[in-house]
Each structure stands twice: as C-alpha cells, then as structure tokens.
C-alpha cells in the first residue's frame, strides 16, 4: 500500500576521543634579542596544520607557538619578547571513524611553563589536550498519511521534532584601528598583546549570521626615544559583523559557539607618518548548528473494516528542544601575593579564561561548576624587575533551569566571560570580580514508532463471524475508541454515531453501542 513519508533530518554523535600530549622543548634566544634575565609571562597558541581521518583514528598535526615576555639581563633591565614553535603530531583513537568522515577538533593548552636554562636558552613544557568527535547527519523516514485514503481510518500522533538544518564551522574577521592618546609616545616595537571577547551575542538573519559584542584589546610597547619607559594601552572596541550563511533563516534555532581564533596587531603610521596607530585583525571561530522546530503529524496506525492492515514499524530516535537559555553568575575571590613576589604598584592588564570543570544533570536542570583562571600583569616596586604577573582563580557555580531533564537529554554548554574587574585591596591583596555567562542548549531524545510500509491481509473471517452484529460494551480502564473499533471491526465514527458521542473521548464506565461493519470494498 502506498504511503506518504516525510524526511526528518537528525544529527548524531558517531564517536569521540580525547588525548593528551606532553610537550617539552629547549630553545635558544634569537641573536637579535637581548639575554634573558627574568621571565615575566608566557602564553601558548595552537595552530592546527593537518587532520587525517583513517579507520578507527584521527591524526592531528600542528604547532604550539610559545610567546615569552621577559626582562632583559642588561643594565637598563628593559622588557623584551620572543616566540618559538614546537611541532607536534598525535593520533587519537576514534572507534567507528572512517576515511572521509568530517572531524571536529578542540584543544586546550594546560600547565604551560617556561623556565630559564641560561641567559641564551629556555625550556618550555606544556600539556596539550585534544578532543575529537565525529558527528553524522542521518535521515529518519516517517509515514504521515495515505494518499486517497477513502474508507481507511488513520490514527495520527503529533510530534514536536527538532530537525538539524545545518552544521558547519566558519570564521568571522574583525578589524579595528586604535589611535594612541595624545599623551602617549610613538610606538617603536610591540612587546606583548592580548585580545579577549566580551558579551558576544549571535542573531540569525535571513541568509546571514550576525555577531556583536566587544573586544578588549591590550598591548605593551616600547616607545621611540632613548630611556623612555615601557608603555601600554588597554581599550574596549565594540563590534557588529555579519557572516554570509545561505542556510540561515530568522525562524531557525541556533546553537553557535564563538571563540577567539588567531589575531595580530600591526603598527601603522598616521597621516603625519608617525607610528601612532595599531591595526588589530582578529579571527572569530564560529561553531554553527542550526535547527528547525516543527510540529509533525505522524501516522501511528491504520484500520478499515473488512480488511486486515498490518503496519511495519521501525523505532527511531527523534529529538525535541527542552530548553535554550543563557544564565549569568557573579563570583568574587581574593588572591594574596607570596612573600617572594615583588610588591604591586599598578595593575596594567588582567586576563580571564573560563573553564567549566563539572556539569551535573538534575531533574530541575543543569548545575555547572568551574573557575575563571586569572592572570594579572602589573608594575612592581622593584626596579630590577619592573613587571610581574600574578595568577589567581575565581570559582563559580550556577544552576541553569531546564525542567524535566533526565538521562535521555543531551546538551551543549558554553562558558564565556562577560566582565572581569581586578582591583588592589593593598600592595599584597587583590580582589577579582567575574561575571560569567553560561549558554545552554538542551535537547530531549525520545523513541517514535515510524511506519515504513503497510501490509494488506485478508481478515480472519471466522473471528468476524463469531462477533455479534450488535454489542453493548462498557469501557474499561485503558481503553481507547480506536482500540475498540479495531477489535469489533468497525470505525470510531460509527461507534460515536450509534452511541451518541460528541467526541472521541471516552472514560471507564461509559456504555457504547457497537454495530459490526463488514465491508470488503476499501
């Protein structure tokens, strides 16, 4: 029998794997750079060069770029910087992976430590965590009706289904020009830089994705002229950029994670030919998932008097949106300086990185616990070490309401730093205030019986003949009008008409008058 079918587009996790690499490398200071006296700060940036998927595994090849800010071992004790590259190659086990699969890879640099071997040689150590997963798009076929059904009765079920419309990664470029204030000297060399995202919001437009927020830009620089003190600039630049996305529609639901990718700062001359401008080029990495929520009428069962119709059913797993929400939490913490650290005179710059350590699923929703890892660059009272860095953490926990969560739910949770304020209580104690935004997208999985085909068979005529032509029936607990109609080879409409029912709703104790219908012509 011909049936109408609808394609339901789903996205499912095929496999995932995590691997950790310990990187360790000694490297020389470039000849153009002064001797190293004391290391102030170091940072690591991963640049992935190649990903290869083979049977049961994925191989990641890239480099860890280590940036070092240090105090030179010279009479002037000036600030300098250098960069080195540490290559790596790692194979991650992914059971079920096949050549040609599209892999999604995330990484995190942990425990980066750079130490001085001698004034011309440094040692770098880091732990790199690589998390890979492969997701596959699948199509579920569900029957939605019968063309020209005629006398065939159809039992329909309404299903709220979340369908995957698009999944991809893309980049958004943001450019900003910063002009030095009139009281700042010209730039000779950039020594250190940092760009952080704040308060990013994503909005869907027809054919486009819009991202808006702020970029907090910091750079430390060596000014022109001899014996000039090291200078720094910190500024907040708003941005609003759009990315072309043909699959995007305003009516769709989105789960988009935005993170800072590669960025660069370059000195530019102003109209007078002086180095008083800096151009910041930032690449925002977008992990995009677009969904459509749709009410679908699914064919659940069929019946007609005089013929036996047997649905061939296949159980499929579908999804519905349980909750999309953004929760904001505030947290405060203090950090005291150790006696070995130089005293603080002035804070130059603070950086915060959000790390969600644990997510606990409860019947009321999600409970997230984590930390904001804070690094504070400051001016010291020690002329021999004019700059230093203090590290601290701000613990946080937040409940994100999602009524009805259980083991059948899956979720994505992104933590972002909306605001970080660092202030001196005194020369030895620092107060850190963080405002963390947690974006949650919770999906509930549930089984649904999808009719694939309908087999037609002749009725058991002996059973039909044994049925009385007219029957009085008292409704029992759990009965439905559909079940009773099938049992007595009649229709719901016939029972309603003969029993004087205005609707198909029945309750235990109701008395029904049933007349058998035998009709071989459908």
């Amino acid at each position: 029998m011909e049936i109408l079918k609808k394609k339901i587009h789903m996205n499912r996790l095929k496999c995932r794997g995590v691997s950790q690499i310990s990187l360790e490398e000694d490297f020389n200071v470039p000849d153009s750079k002064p001797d190293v006296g004391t290391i102030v700060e170091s940072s690591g940036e991963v640049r992935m060069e190649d990903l290869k998927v083979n049977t049961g595994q994925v191989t990641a090849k890239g480099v860890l770029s280590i940036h070092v800010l240090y105090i030179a071992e010279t009479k002037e004790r000036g600030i300098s910087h250098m960069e080195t590259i540490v290559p790596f190659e790692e194979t991650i086990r992914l059971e079920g992976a096949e050549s040609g699969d599209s892999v999604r890879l995330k990484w995190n640099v942990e425990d980066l430590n750079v130490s001085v071997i001698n004034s011309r040689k440094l040692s770098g150590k880091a732990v790199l965590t690589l998390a890979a997963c492969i997701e596959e798009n699948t199509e579920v076929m569900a029957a939605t009706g019968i063309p020209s059904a005629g006398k065939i009765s159809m039992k329909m079920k309404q299903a709220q289904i979340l369908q995957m419309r698009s999944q991809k990664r893309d980049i958004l470029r943001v450019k900003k020009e910063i002009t030095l204030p009139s009281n700042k000297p010209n730039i000779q060399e950039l020594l250190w830089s940092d760009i952080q995202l704040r308060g990013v919001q994503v909005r869907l437009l027809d054919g486009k994705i819009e991202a808006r927020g702020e970029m907090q830009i910091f750079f430390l620089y060596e000014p022109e002229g001899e014996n000039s003190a090291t200078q720094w600039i910190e500024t907040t630049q708003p941005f609003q950029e759009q990315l072309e996305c043909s699959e995007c529609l305003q009516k769709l639901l989105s789960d988009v994670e935005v993170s800072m990718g590669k960025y660069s700062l370059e000195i530019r001359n102003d109209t007078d030919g002086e180095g008083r401008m800096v151009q910041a080029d930032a690449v925002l990495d977008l992990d995009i998932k677009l969904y459509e929520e749709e009410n679908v009428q699914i064919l659940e069962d069929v019946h007609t008097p005089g013929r036996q119709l047997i649905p061939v059913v296949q159980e499929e797993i579908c999804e519905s949106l349980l909750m999309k929400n953004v929760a904001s939490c505030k947290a405060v913490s203090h950090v005291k300086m150790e006696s070995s650290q130089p005293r603080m005179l002035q804070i130059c710059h603070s950086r915060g990185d959000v790390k969600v350590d644990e997510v606990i699923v409860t019947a009321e929703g999600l409970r997230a616990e984590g930390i904001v890892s804070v690094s504070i660059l400051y001016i010291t009272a020690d002329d021999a070490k004019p700059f230093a860095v203090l590290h601290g953490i701000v613990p946080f926990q937040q409940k994100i309401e999602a009524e009805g969560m259980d083991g059948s739910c899956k979720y994505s949770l992104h933590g972002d730093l909306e605001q970080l304020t660092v202030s001196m209580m005194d020369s030895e104690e620092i107060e850190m205030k963080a405002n963390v935004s947690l974006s949650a997208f919770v999906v509930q999985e549930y089984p649904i019986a999808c009719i694939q085909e309908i087999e037609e068979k002749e009725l058991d005529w002996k059973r039909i003949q044994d049925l009385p032509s007219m029957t009085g029936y008292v409704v029992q607990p759990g009965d439905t009008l559909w079940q009773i109609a099938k049992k007595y080879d009649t229709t719901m409409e016939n029972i309603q008409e003969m029993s004087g029912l205005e609707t198909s709703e029945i309750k235990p104790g109701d008395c029904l008058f049933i007349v058998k219908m035998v009709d071989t012509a459908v």
Side-chain angles (χ1 to χ4, degrees):
M1 177 181 290
E2 185 182 357
I3 57 176
L4 301 174
K5 290 186 178 181
K6 179 179 178 63
K7 289 182 181 179
I8 301 173
H9 301 274
M10 309 294 295
N11 176 264
R12 290 177 183 157
L13 178 67
K14 185 177 182 181
C15 52
R16 65 168 42 149
V18 178
S19 182
Q20 279 194 332
I21 321 169
S22 294
L23 300 176
E24 184 172 353
E25 183 121 344
D26 297 341
F27 48 92
N28 296 322
V29 178
D31 294 339
S32 59
K33 298 291 182 179
D35 290 354
V36 177
T38 306
I39 292 174
V40 177
E41 178 68 304
S42 58
S43 67
E45 175 193 1
V46 173
R47 296 201 293 267
M48 204 59 60
E49 296 176 341
D50 189 31
L51 278 175
K52 288 184 179 178
V53 183
N54 295 310
T55 303
Q57 64 183 36
V58 58
T59 302
K61 185 177 180 182
V63 298
L64 173 64
S65 175
I66 300 178
H67 301 265
V68 182
L69 181 68
Y70 66 92
I71 297 171
E73 197 175 55
T74 60
K75 183 179 178 181
E76 296 80 13
R77 306 294 289 176
I79 295 288
S80 189
H81 74 289
M82 62 169 289
E83 178 186 356
T84 191
I85 300 295
V86 180
F88 66 84
E89 184 172 337
E90 178 71 2
T91 297
I92 308 166
R93 288 181 57 83
L94 285 176
E95 264 195 62
E98 297 173 319
S99 179
D101 284 343
S102 178
V103 64
R104 306 168 76 82
L105 185 69
K106 292 186 177 182
W107 52 82
N108 188 32
V109 181
E110 302 173 11
D111 301 326
L112 175 63
N113 180 48
V114 179
S115 57
V116 179
I117 297 175
N118 58 54
S119 61
R120 302 302 299 174
K121 194 170 188 178
L122 305 179
S123 173
K125 298 179 181 179
V127 175
L128 180 60
T129 302
L130 301 174
C133 74
I134 294 176
E135 295 175 320
E136 58 183 357
N137 294 321
T138 61
E139 288 184 348
V140 172
M141 300 297 293
T144 58
I146 301 173
S148 305
K151 294 182 180 180
I152 297 176
S153 298
M154 295 182 291
K155 183 183 180 185
M156 308 299 293
K157 179 181 179 180
Q158 181 169 295
Q160 186 90 353
I161 293 177
L162 191 68
Q163 297 194 66
M164 172 67 72
R165 287 306 182 198
S166 178
Q167 179 181 15
K168 64 178 183 177
R169 298 182 70 94
D170 213 326
I171 60 171
L172 190 63
R173 298 185 182 275
V174 180
K175 293 187 177 184
K176 294 291 178 180
E177 280 194 344
I178 300 104
T179 302
L180 297 184
S182 57
N183 63 341
K184 290 285 186 179
N186 294 352
I187 303 171
Q188 179 172 303
E189 183 184 8
L190 292 173
L191 300 172
W192 191 258
S193 63
D194 182 37
I195 298 182
Q196 300 174 79
L197 295 176
R198 294 284 190 270
V200 178
Q201 296 179 343
V202 175
R203 186 164 67 106
L204 300 186
L205 305 172
D206 289 340
K208 295 178 182 179
I209 293 178
E210 181 182 88
R212 63 172 68 187
E214 294 179 339
M215 288 198 311
Q216 189 179 67
I217 302 172
F218 169 82
F219 58 88
L220 194 70
Y221 72 93
E222 181 182 334
E224 291 180 352
E226 296 183 1
N227 302 320
S228 297
T230 303
Q231 302 288 317
W232 71 88
I233 293 289
E234 186 163 37
T235 179
T236 299
Q237 299 285 323
F239 68 88
Q240 182 176 339
E241 302 290 340
Q242 293 182 350
L243 172 70
E244 296 291 332
C245 179
S246 59
E247 307 94 336
C248 189
L249 297 170
Q250 289 189 52
K251 68 176 184 178
L252 298 182
L253 295 168
S254 66
D255 181 18
V256 181
E257 183 178 6
V258 183
S259 57
M260 177 61 69
K262 188 176 181 181
Y263 66 84
S264 63
L265 272 69
E266 185 178 344
I267 304 169
R268 294 290 179 91
N269 292 335
D270 61 11
T271 53
D272 297 326
E274 297 181 324
R276 299 193 58 78
M277 297 178 67
V278 171
Q279 179 171 298
D281 290 343
V283 175
L284 308 188
D285 292 329
L286 274 64
D287 191 348
I288 303 166
K289 292 181 180 179
L290 301 179
Y291 299 89
E292 182 176 12
E293 199 171 24
E294 186 177 358
N295 283 320
V296 180
Q297 292 286 335
I298 303 294
L299 182 62
E300 193 174 21
D301 198 2
V302 291
H303 167 65
T304 186
R307 188 173 300 174
Q308 188 178 8
L309 302 180
I310 303 175
V312 179
V313 175
Q314 180 174 319
E315 188 176 273
E316 300 284 359
I317 301 297
C318 290
E319 299 175 343
S320 64
L321 178 67
L322 183 64
M323 180 274 292
K324 180 184 179 184
N325 195 10
V326 179
S328 183
C329 68
K330 295 180 179 180
V332 180
S333 184
H334 294 78
V335 58
K336 282 198 171 186
M337 307 183 73
E338 297 178 1
S339 58
S340 59
Q341 290 179 298
R343 301 303 90 182
M344 182 180 292
L345 286 183
Q346 183 182 357
I347 295 173
C348 298
H349 172 62
S350 59
R351 175 182 177 86
D353 294 295
V354 176
K355 182 180 179 183
V356 179
D357 293 322
E358 185 177 16
V359 180
I360 301 169
V361 178
T362 69
E364 292 78 32
L366 302 171
R367 190 169 76 246
E369 298 178 0
I371 62 167
V372 179
S373 178
V374 181
S375 59
I376 305 163
L377 178 66
Y378 65 95
I379 297 177
T380 77
D382 186 354
D383 292 338
K385 190 178 180 182
F387 289 89
V389 170
L390 178 65
H391 296 281
I393 61 170
V394 183
F396 67 86
Q397 58 179 359
Q398 178 65 31
K399 179 181 175 182
I400 307 165
E401 293 186 0
E403 198 72 31
M405 282 203 73
D406 55 30
S408 67
C409 294
K410 63 180 185 179
Y411 64 88
S412 64
L413 183 68
H414 317 308
D416 299 296
L417 189 60
E418 289 188 337
Q419 190 175 6
L420 177 65
T421 304
V422 176
S423 55
M424 296 173 56
M425 306 295 289
D426 52 44
S427 62
E428 297 182 357
E429 186 175 2
I430 306 298
E431 182 181 65
M432 302 170 293
K433 295 181 179 179
N435 194 354
V436 177
S437 171
L438 296 168
S439 302
F441 193 92
V442 182
V443 171
Q444 191 166 39
E445 293 186 331
Y446 62 94
I448 187 168
C450 297
I451 295 177
Q452 303 301 306
E453 60 177 303
I454 298 172
E455 296 179 352
E456 299 182 61
K457 291 186 178 180
E458 289 296 321
L459 280 177
D460 181 351
W461 287 106
K462 185 178 185 311
R463 184 185 72 82
I464 296 299
Q465 289 170 358
D466 289 342
L467 288 176
S469 298
M470 292 179 290
T471 305
Y473 183 82
V474 179
V475 176
Q476 303 299 308
D479 280 348
T480 66
L481 205 58
W482 177 268
Q483 292 170 338
I484 296 169
K486 285 190 70 175
K487 180 179 178 180
Y488 288 93
D489 198 43
T490 184
T491 65
M492 291 173 55
E493 293 78 12
N494 183 266
I495 296 176
Q496 285 180 246
E497 181 182 351
M498 301 303 296
S499 303
L501 299 178
E502 295 183 358
T503 69
S504 61
E505 297 296 323
I506 56 175
K507 61 183 183 298
D510 286 350
C511 293
L512 306 179
F513 184 60
I514 302 172
V515 176
K516 181 172 66 174
M517 296 176 63
V518 178
D519 188 354
T520 57
V522 179

